[in-house]
């Protein structure tokens, strides 16, 4: 049996915004086919993954982007934030290239994120997922997320996001005191 290289997370920088945009453009049409119309996919890609928007999010630091790396290959990306001690943290984006899906890489990346959030003192990990994206919902449930609500909101262009809200608690370990 061939063992895959371990997954690592590599912090993305503002000068990589075009690469994140290009990666999202490869992933989104397949990930959302049959879930939202192609016109909405194009609208959301243009709005959420415009390189100037990505650079701005990264520069302000409220949203941190990480490449999901297998060996020396960038196979996807994640965006989280803000990460604050004693507060929930939002998972804004979690995407793998189609050929890297179903191999355990996403769960490995999620495990690394939970460890990062534990050490930062976040209380929970929260996300929105399209209620018709059954594959993503199953992935999140497998990784300890539970549905905690629903939300439907207009996003412009005549489109709506119709989502489940999901949450995964993060264990808070007391900080040992030295006597």
């Amino acid at each position: 049996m061939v063992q895959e290289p371990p997954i690592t997370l590599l912090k993305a920088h503002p000068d990589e915004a075009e690469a994140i945009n290009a990666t999202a453009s490869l992933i989104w049409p397949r990930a959302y086919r049959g879930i939202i119309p192609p016109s909405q996919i194009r609208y959301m890609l243009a709005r959420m993954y415009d390189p100037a928007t990505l650079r701005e999010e990264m520069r302000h630091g409220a949203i941190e982007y990480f490449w999901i790396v297998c060996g020396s290959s960038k196979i996807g990306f994640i965006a989280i934030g803000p990460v604050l001690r004693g507060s929930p943290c939002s998972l804004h984006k979690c995407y793998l290239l189609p050929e890297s899906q179903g191999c355990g890489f996403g769960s490995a990346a999620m495990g690394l994120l939970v460890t990062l959030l534990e050490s930062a003192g976040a209380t929970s990990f929260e996300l929105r997922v399209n209620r018709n994206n059954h594959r993503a919902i199953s992935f999140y449930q497998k990784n300890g997320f539970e549905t905690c609500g629903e939300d439907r909101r207009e996003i412009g262009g005549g489109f709506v996001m119709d989502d489940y809200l999901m949450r995964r608690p993060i264990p808070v370990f007391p900080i040992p005191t030295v006597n």
Side-chain angles (χ1 to χ4, degrees):
M1 175 190 250
V2 175
Q3 187 170 349
E4 296 290 342
I7 294 297
T8 56
L9 297 178
L10 177 64
K11 186 153 182 172
H13 299 284
D15 63 348
E16 296 176 289
E18 286 81 5
I20 291 171
N21 171 283
T23 303
S25 295
L26 292 173
I27 295 169
W28 267 59
R30 288 179 70 183
Y32 289 102
R33 183 181 356 189
I35 297 172
I36 58 177
S39 57
Q40 185 171 350
I41 293 170
R42 288 189 300 275
Y43 176 81
M44 292 178 74
L45 277 171
R47 184 172 176 225
M48 296 168 51
Y49 291 97
D50 174 70
T53 299
L54 296 171
R55 279 191 292 278
E56 192 69 19
E57 288 175 343
M58 287 187 252
R59 283 189 183 120
H60 288 301
I63 298 178
E64 298 178 71
Y65 283 79
F66 295 88
W67 289 107
I68 302 170
V69 180
C70 181
S72 61
S73 299
K74 293 175 180 171
I75 61 169
F77 62 91
I78 292 177
I80 62 170
V83 181
L84 303 169
R85 181 167 293 286
S87 297
C89 178
S90 292
L91 175 64
H92 299 281
K93 299 168 174 68
C94 180
Y95 294 103
L96 285 172
L97 292 168
E99 62 272 15
S100 298
Q101 295 174 8
C103 303
F105 298 144
S107 292
M110 196 62 61
L112 293 171
L113 274 178
V114 168
T115 299
L116 183 145
L117 294 175
E118 281 175 350
S119 67
T123 58
S124 64
F125 209 8
E126 300 176 347
L127 61 90
R128 307 173 67 88
V129 60
N130 184 293
R131 69 177 67 229
N132 293 313
N133 193 341
H134 304 294
R135 189 169 178 200
I137 293 166
S138 177
F139 167 78
Y140 291 124
Q141 288 172 333
K142 178 179 139 188
N143 283 279
F145 287 83
E146 294 181 357
T147 302
C148 60
E150 299 179 15
D151 187 48
R152 181 179 166 89
R153 74 166 94 154
E154 293 182 24
I155 58 169
F159 300 112
V160 297
M161 286 179 39
D162 194 11
D163 297 329
Y164 287 127
L165 307 175
M166 299 184 82
R167 178 181 299 130
R168 182 194 191 284
I170 296 175
V172 178
F173 299 103
I175 298 172
T177 57
V178 178
N179 293 331

